[in-house]
Amino acid sequence: MSEYRIQGATGEWEVVIGLEVHAQVTSKAKLFSGAATAFGAEPNTQVSLVDAAMPGMLPVPNRECIRQAVRTGMAIDAQINKWSRFDRKNYFYADLPQGYQISQLYHPLVGEGYLDIALDDKDPENTKRIGVERIHVEQDAGKLMHDQHPTMSYVDLNRSGVALMEIVSKPDMRSPAEAGAYVRKLRSILRYVGSCDGNMEEGSMRADVNVSVRKPGDEFGTRTETKNVNSVRFVMQVIEYEANRQVDVIENGGTVDQETRLFDPDTGTTRTMRSKEDAHDYRYFPDPDLLPLELDDAFIAECRESLPELPDAKRHRYENELGLSAYNAGQLTADVDVYQRYEAILAATAAKVGKSESDVATQVANWVLSVAPGVKNATEDADEANDTTAANAGIIALSAAGTVSGGQAKEIYEIVLKTGREPEEIAETEGLKQNSDTGAIEAVVDEVLASNADKVEEYRGGKDKLFGFFVGQTMKAMKGQGNPAVVNEILKAKLG
Amino acid sequence: MTELTELTVAAIRTGVAGGDFTAVEVAEAFNANVAAASQLNAFIVATPEKAVEAAQAVDAKRAKGQDLGKMGGVPIGMKDLFATNGVQTTAASHMLEGFVPQYESTVSQKLWDAGAGMLGKLNLDQFAMGSSNETSYFGNVISPWRRKDGGNADLAPGGSSGGSSSAVAARLCPAATGTDTGGSIRQPAAFTGISGIKPTYGRCSRWGVVAFASSLDQAGPMARDVTDCAIMLEAMAGFDPKDSTSLNLPVPEWEAGLNPDMKGKKVGIPREYRMDGMDPEILKSWDDGIAWLKDAGAEVVDISLPHTKYALPAYYIIAPAEASSNLARYDGVRYGLRDLPEGAGLQDMYAATRADGFGPEVKRRIMIGTYVLSAGFYDAYYNQAQKVRALIARDFEQAWSQCDVILAPTCPSAAFALGDKTSDPLSMYLNDVFAVPASLAGLPAMSVPAGLNSEGLPLGLQIIGKAFDEQGVLNAGLAIEQRAGFTAKPEAWWK
Amino acid sequence: MSVDKATVAKIASLARIRMDDAACDAMVPELNQILGWVEQLGEVDVTGVEPMTAVIPNTLRLRDDVVDADPLTGGGVRDKVLANAPAPEHGFFGVPKVIE
Ligand SMILES: [Mg+2]
Ligand SMILES: [Zn+2]
């Protein structure tokens, strides 16, 4: 990644980016009430008296939400604070029933950590370390709907009180691409840990994008915060737009206002958020309904022990123990779904062929990363349910044993996807097998050489290129079912 | 037979259980008193049918030989700060006028489960902010007491639990719930010649109680004597998983543990409570209390609580700060008053609703609380106050190495006339100068009647105990009660 | 520190309490009296004192992650939640239109 610079009238500008990512904690019940968190329910059906801030209602924290935030902190090598506290952030808004959000300002649950982002897909070792300032736990707000009634907005509190982790980065990013890589890496880690499903479309993850510009080497400029940006692409667009807008403002003699902005995905632009204009004074203070949160050693130990192998560690292991290329290892470990599929198929394949995982790792990696997705994309009436670990392993095993050719493997996979039939059975009944019988191949080769004596003469005279001709003739005679390796071997021997 | 409405909680319980009278008879007798006392304005809503219904259930249980519960057959008044399912709950504010909760507070539920019935919802200072019951949207509560030197000036029943104190003193109910944030049980109890205890912070669940200041609010009983307080507190207290600050401890058998023998006990007399220009009659009642406890076998020791002077100012930062946030939920969106001026947007609706729904004292405290939490002032005010609060708690902690309980006056004066202090908020706040330190430290504290002053008005003595030692407080209270021989009661001029 | 009318107006706006000129004027001396009085706390030496967090020694309990474990604090009670709403609309709370 080369340095990202905005070309202004007065020269080059550097952009400085920090992200506050709000990630919905995976939990069944809300942070401070027993109402459910499931997405997409009827309005106000997942709202308890507590969430609606009825008089006299009180918060009691959900252990699982705390646990997930702690595990997330551990996954980014962050400091876990055994003593933390909830504070109230006071402001008035229709999606905020209590008139305050229970959050953590002064003593967050998780302190400083970091994550390493890849600057180049092809070279996962080329990384940049992005600091994480803190992770705190807080309540989500409800939802306002503006287009249901001419003069009214409608309030749905189903999300109100759902647990969020606010993951605050340091202003360490310098380009839209770095910010994109950061969000993707963070999402990957959250999904590995299981603390957030990372579903940006459903709002499980959204970013507040802090952007400022400066002349390279200068002090930080004034930043704007664009709220609730809900895709990686939009995060990058916001940065692009804001950086250019700010440069324009400054170069035209203006100053950048420190303000909250909204992103409009339709136009790719940002604008001042009117409703939050006067909300600067949040009057934070410790929530008197909640005692300080103290974590004991057993709790912390359980969090640590329950952490899975994380993306970077897994990638290194794939390279060092399985012998995968850096690129493949990076691709396979980028997301939970991919590595889980890979590891399942790898184990099944190794068992099937009676070899170690490292012996078949590369073959399985190629299958999972390129062969299988290619076939799948081309197969219109594929049934996802047919795409089982056993079927995939079965096809790879057939291929590894030389029973089927690469092309045949693809054909078998296509039939598997459509019908769910067994790969071995398909190979058998559909004739999708290659012939490795040396006797039979020798007979065909003898015939081919006999009927092309002139070419054999030329070959032996030094026309090496003719080797391919013999292979082609042999394969043709065998209707494409000859095992190419065996064919090659026999031809080599016979031609001397 | 004595009039049923003269009976204590203990006597009603015994009489109903023994078949001397039915619970329904008791309920009806109190319902009649409530109906006849509208002049006192102690109730915002009377619920005679609820009282009778609960009594019928108790009588039916008795017929079947079942256990009647700790409060079996006792009708009570419920401070209108406790949410009561299906019954309007207002916190004495216009904001919540007409608000009918669909839930029952933990404390009131426990009382109903113990066999008590509800006579009605008692008036109070709006959102429990006040010391005279003059801030209620539903009008002042009038004390049943009058000065004996003629002068029919209406007197303050104290506050914020003024409806409770007035109703118990006037025999409209044998007992009532109160809440105490900075003296709101003890001061009204002292003003009206009844007993009331604020337990250790966390003993009674705050779930379903309209919040004023979360770190201070505690519910407690108000009744005619110490035994009744013990009985009712047992029914109200207990761990509630719905309240994060609830104490996860078993409820002691305070009633069974009552013992007025103070032998081997040390009573601390805090020298800082002896303030300049104090009412000599208050000082005299304090001396009486000392003598009575000595008579009960206690050793009396001088103690020092050096930060006493700073308790009230600390309280008037912490309580309004918490209140300013706790009362933010009253915004006209989900329940309660909505004032939507023509063409108003959301934020204008909030401002109009809150201007209309909150009374002047509530607004004043929200303003103070908002100010002390606002940018740039948090450390100087709120944080400083919480540090001073820690020092006040430490004062008590140190005192416990010298004594078991502390004896002090409940208030600096007897009841004053309604209107006397309304023009000067600060002089009103000073009423709670002796009550607030125990609130800030979360300690159990009670007020018991000590006698009448020269004007014929009740004075109260306060006993402050160690955390969790309600028993020690109740026992000292009982020792005083037995020696004070307080039997005075107000003339029923309102009937 | 003492407050002036502009400060009172700003605080009233933060607290979302509509206050006209006269009300702000009246509030200025009231707040100043109270603030002047509480400022005596500044005299107290609080060196090394931590602000109080838990009045009675007690630790924060955490509850299990169970949906609707207690009906009083669980969901699925829309009727109760909306029972007192000034403007319930199709299962929502209605508020004057908000422009974000
Ligand atoms: Mg933010
Ligand atoms: Zn946040």
Side-chain angles (χ1 to χ4, degrees), chain A residues 113-421:
Chain A
Y114 62 85
L115 48 86
D116 294 326
I117 58 168
L119 297 177
D120 178 2
D121 258 5
K122 301 271 177 306
D123 177 11
E125 293 303 326
N126 180 8
T127 60
K128 175 174 174 179
R129 180 155 291 187
I130 307 296
V132 170
E133 187 76 46
R134 57 191 281 154
I135 302 177
H136 65 254
V137 178
E138 63 184 23
Q139 297 175 300
D140 202 353
K143 225 182 149 105
L144 279 178
M145 263 144 287
H146 306 300
D147 47 9
Q148 318 266 317
H149 189 281
T151 60
M152 272 200 260
S153 293
Y154 286 175
V155 185
D156 174 12
L157 299 179
N158 279 350
R159 289 197 68 91
S160 169
V162 167
L164 301 177
M165 293 178 275
E166 182 172 331
I167 303 155
V168 183
S169 85
K170 296 193 172 168
D172 288 352
M173 287 157 276
R174 294 290 177 272
S175 70
E178 286 184 14
Y182 173 85
V183 175
R184 282 194 301 269
K185 183 64 176 282
L186 181 59
R187 181 174 179 276
S188 165
I189 291 173
L190 295 175
R191 285 170 51 77
Y192 264 69
V193 170
S195 58
C196 171
D197 67 20
N199 191 332
M200 295 189 89
E201 298 77 59
E202 291 181 2
S204 300
M205 235 183 114
R206 59 231 198 228
D208 297 344
V209 185
N210 290 293
V211 177
S212 65
V213 295
R214 64 175 175 186
K215 286 287 173 70
D218 277 5
E219 298 282 288
F220 284 145
T222 305
R223 67 189 165 87
T224 61
E225 179 179 9
T226 305
K227 287 271 184 198
N228 285 335
V229 185
N230 65 353
S231 85
V232 172
R233 190 163 59 88
F234 292 161
V235 167
M236 293 167 69
Q237 277 183 25
V238 164
I239 296 164
E240 192 89 58
Y241 178 83
E242 264 303 289
N244 283 289
R245 185 188 70 83
Q246 292 180 14
V247 167
D248 279 354
V249 167
I250 298 167
E251 291 193 335
N252 287 317
T255 52
V256 174
D257 291 331
Q258 182 166 349
E259 61 177 359
T260 303
R261 300 179 69 86
L262 272 183
F263 177 66
D264 182 349
D266 295 333
T267 58
T269 61
T270 68
R271 63 177 165 86
T272 298
M273 188 171 183
R274 290 210 271 163
S275 53
K276 293 258 165 99
E277 262 174 321
D278 60 348
H280 298 311
D281 196 341
Y282 291 122
R283 288 158 286 134
Y284 278 100
F285 77 112
D287 191 323
D289 285 330
L290 293 162
L291 297 150
L293 174 58
E294 293 171 73
L295 305 180
D296 61 38
D297 293 339
F299 182 89
I300 290 177
E302 189 284 326
C303 288
R304 205 172 286 287
E305 279 154 22
S306 66
L307 275 187
E309 183 183 35
L310 293 163
D312 289 344
K314 196 179 278 296
R315 180 165 57 80
H316 286 129
R317 183 170 62 81
Y318 281 11
E319 285 182 52
N320 299 334
E321 291 178 19
L322 299 180
L324 297 188
S325 71
Y327 177 77
N328 275 358
Q331 294 295 304
L332 285 170
T333 55
D335 190 72
V336 174
D337 292 343
V338 178
Y339 95 69
Q340 283 179 346
R341 176 175 160 85
Y342 175 67
E343 292 190 357
I345 296 173
L346 177 63
T349 305
K352 195 137 197 158
V353 302
K355 288 186 178 172
S356 74
E357 290 193 354
S358 57
D359 286 337
V360 291
T362 300
Q363 199 177 356
V364 175
N366 289 336
W367 175 262
V368 166
L369 285 175
S370 58
V371 182
V375 174
K376 223 176 187 177
N377 283 339
T379 307
E380 272 175 23
D381 37 2
D383 182 348
E384 195 63 39
N386 295 331
D387 191 18
T388 62
T389 300
N392 280 275
I395 299 169
I396 301 167
L398 286 172
S399 177
T403 313
V404 303
S405 68
Q408 289 169 330
K410 289 185 192 175
E411 281 181 65
I412 294 170
Y413 187 50
E414 187 180 336
I415 297 170
V416 163
L417 290 175
K418 287 178 176 170
T419 66
R421 285 161 58 194

Side-chain angles (χ1 to χ4, degrees), chain B residues 336-385:
Chain B
L337 183 73
R338 169 180 291 192
D339 191 344
L340 184 57
E342 187 64 36
L346 179 71
Q347 300 294 343
D348 300 328
M349 179 185 94
Y350 290 155
T353 299
R354 292 163 61 80
D356 192 17
F358 292 139
E361 181 62 21
V362 175
K363 286 182 198 170
R364 194 178 291 130
R365 296 203 196 186
I366 291 175
M367 291 288 287
I368 294 170
T370 304
Y371 180 74
V372 299
L373 290 177
S374 64
F377 298 110
Y378 175 79
D379 281 323
Y381 288 106
Y382 187 80
N383 230 15
Q384 178 76 5

Side-chain angles (χ1 to χ4, degrees), chain B residues 283-339:
Chain B
L283 287 172
K284 158 128 199 339
S285 79
W286 195 2
D287 288 339
D288 289 344
I290 292 169
W292 292 328
L293 289 177
K294 277 185 183 160
D295 181 60
E299 184 189 333
V300 170
V301 294
D302 270 335
I303 60 162
S304 173
L305 299 169
H307 295 90
T308 297
K309 156 176 187 209
Y310 299 106
L312 207 53
Y315 174 85
Y316 274 95
I317 290 172
I318 294 163
E322 293 183 9
S324 72
S325 177
N326 281 338
L327 271 60
R329 65 189 56 200
Y330 305 106
D331 59 8
V333 172
R334 298 164 316 286
Y335 49 81
L337 183 73
R338 169 180 291 192
D339 191 344

Side-chain angles (χ1 to χ4, degrees), chain B residues 147-218:
Chain B
R147 292 190 179 112
K148 76 176 178 199
D149 55 359
N152 285 341
D154 286 340
L155 298 181
S160 65
S161 311
S164 306
S165 64
S166 179
V168 172
R171 275 54 173 172
L172 312 186
C173 50
T177 54
T179 61
D180 191 315
T181 303
S184 281
I185 287 176
R186 291 160 286 159
Q187 184 255 19
F191 274 21
T192 56
I194 66 168
S195 297
I197 181 167
K198 175 195 95 70
T200 308
Y201 181 80
R203 270 290 188 207
C204 289
S205 170
R206 293 185 295 112
W207 196 88
V209 185
V210 176
F212 164 15
S214 308
S215 75
L216 295 152
D217 295 345
Q218 258 303 287

Side-chain angles (χ1 to χ4, degrees), chain B residues 109-287:
Chain B
Q109 186 62 54
K110 277 174 172 284
L111 285 163
W112 314 145
D113 291 347
M118 182 164 76
L119 291 160
K121 301 298 293 285
L122 290 160
N123 207 342
L124 65 148
D125 275 302
Q126 194 167 141
F127 284 103
M129 296 175 189
S131 304
S132 63
N133 225 301
E134 290 168 286
T135 70
S136 168
Y137 176 73
F138 301 97
N140 299 342
V141 176
I142 295 164
S143 171
W145 292 88
R146 284 183 165 173
R147 292 190 179 112
K148 76 176 178 199
D149 55 359
N152 285 341
D154 286 340
L155 298 181
S160 65
S161 311
S164 306
S165 64
S166 179
V168 172
R171 275 54 173 172
L172 312 186
C173 50
T177 54
T179 61
D180 191 315
T181 303
S184 281
I185 287 176
R186 291 160 286 159
Q187 184 255 19
F191 274 21
T192 56
I194 66 168
S195 297
I197 181 167
K198 175 195 95 70
T200 308
Y201 181 80
R203 270 290 188 207
C204 289
S205 170
R206 293 185 295 112
W207 196 88
V209 185
V210 176
F212 164 15
S214 308
S215 75
L216 295 152
D217 295 345
Q218 258 303 287
M222 299 170 75
R224 294 231 306 279
D225 65 22
V226 172
T227 304
D228 285 3
C229 284
I231 293 169
M232 188 161 159
L233 183 58
E234 252 181 82
M236 295 168 71
F239 175 62
D240 182 1
K242 299 190 295 305
D243 176 356
S244 293
T245 59
S246 175
L247 291 170
N248 193 357
L249 296 173
V251 179
E253 296 188 340
W254 290 306
E255 183 192 3
L258 282 174
N259 175 8
D261 185 356
M262 296 290 288
K263 269 201 252 347
K265 300 285 178 200
K266 289 183 181 166
V267 177
I269 308 298
R271 73 177 70 102
E272 291 80 6
Y273 280 51
R274 212 169 279 274
M275 289 172 174
D276 286 345
M278 225 161 115
D279 179 347
E281 292 199 279
I282 297 287
L283 287 172
K284 158 128 199 339
S285 79
W286 195 2
D287 288 339

Side-chain angles (χ1 to χ4, degrees), chain A residues 10-55:
Chain A
T10 60
E12 289 197 330
W13 294 81
E14 184 182 41
V15 54
V16 175
I17 305 146
L19 294 176
E20 296 164 25
V21 172
H22 285 93
Q24 179 179 332
V25 179
T26 304
S27 67
K28 298 185 196 82
K30 292 184 179 179
L31 179 55
F32 294 115
S33 87
T37 57
F39 180 77
E42 285 293 299
N44 291 310
T45 53
Q46 293 182 166
V47 180
S48 69
L49 299 165
V50 178
D51 308 313
M54 289 288 158

